[in-house]
Amino acid sequence: DTLEAWVFFLQRRDEERHALFFDRIAAEVLGLPGTTATERRAAARAHAPAGLLELFEVRLPALAAELAAGRAALEDGVSLYHMVLEGIVFAAGQRALLDDLADGALPGVREGVEHVDLDERWHIGFGLRCLMEVQPSPDLIHDVLAGAEGAAAAWGDAVPTATRERAVDMCVRRLAIAGLTEAS
């Protein structure tokens, strides 16, 4: 459908803008080595918790390959990307970053992260809407919920426990409000 294609285009544009923003932080604020975004990502990788690397370098590419080969359904991709990565992992990381930036020392960075957070909320809502339309199997939703705490924990000690728990609770709540689970 044309509307969905347009929304996917807008999301991709947002993700590219987010990548540029965080690369600028890597270069100008964190001073990560490298003259290109690729070099700075490689430098940042050394500081990334193993759980994040597994999600983004193993699970996401594997699922993308399965989707491309026709061995996975769109709702599998939507549940991983929108509900788990954006709805739990990014939400927890961005909330922790915003909490760290609450002291006002880097107001431009905080404002930028707030804008990214607003975009991600919209993306999560879009993913939730997609799931509502396809009515995925209860097993898929169960798998999202069963892996929610592990996904939030991918940050390791970089994200406080309460922040991780809040991201998981929001995922559970969103799925329940959408009628994809029973309210708990």
Side-chain angles (χ1 to χ4, degrees):
D1 153 286
T2 304
L3 179 59
E4 287 176 350
W6 181 244
V7 170
F8 278 118
F9 165 78
L10 293 174
Q11 170 144 0
R12 182 174 178 165
R13 186 201 63 193
D14 286 351
E15 299 301 350
E16 289 169 356
R17 194 175 66 245
H18 299 167
L20 287 171
F21 171 70
F22 285 113
D23 180 57
R24 189 168 176 201
I25 292 170
E28 297 176 20
V29 178
L30 300 176
L32 287 179
T35 57
T36 67
T38 301
E39 291 172 354
R40 286 184 289 277
R41 271 194 306 277
R45 188 181 186 286
H47 303 284
L52 282 181
L53 296 175
E54 192 275 330
L55 282 168
F56 287 95
E57 294 183 354
V58 177
R59 281 189 61 194
L60 183 59
L63 183 55
E66 292 293 307
L67 283 164
R71 293 186 299 266
L74 183 60
E75 57 262 30
D76 297 320
V78 168
S79 67
L80 175 62
Y81 193 80
H82 293 277
M83 305 312 333
V84 175
L85 298 180
E86 290 183 318
I88 298 171
V89 178
F90 289 168
Q94 289 162 359
R95 176 50 40 203
L97 184 53
L98 288 169
D99 289 347
D100 284 347
L101 295 168
D103 64 4
L106 298 169
V109 172
R110 181 172 173 79
E111 182 180 349
V113 174
E114 287 171 345
H115 287 289
V116 169
D117 186 53
L118 291 173
D119 286 344
E120 296 300 346
R121 289 183 202 180
W122 184 87
H123 300 165
I124 296 162
F126 173 68
L128 196 56
R129 177 69 183 182
C130 288
L131 291 177
M132 289 168 60
E133 286 186 21
V134 298
Q135 286 296 303
S137 72
D139 289 342
L140 179 66
I141 300 302
H142 175 268
D143 289 349
V144 168
L145 295 173
E149 288 182 20
W155 287 105
D157 294 337
V159 172
T161 301
T163 304
R164 294 191 313 253
E165 289 172 352
R166 179 175 174 221
V168 170
D169 290 346
M170 284 301 300
C171 180
V172 170
R173 184 171 164 226
R174 286 179 178 117
L175 291 169
I177 289 170
L180 297 170
T181 65
E182 293 184 19
S184 53

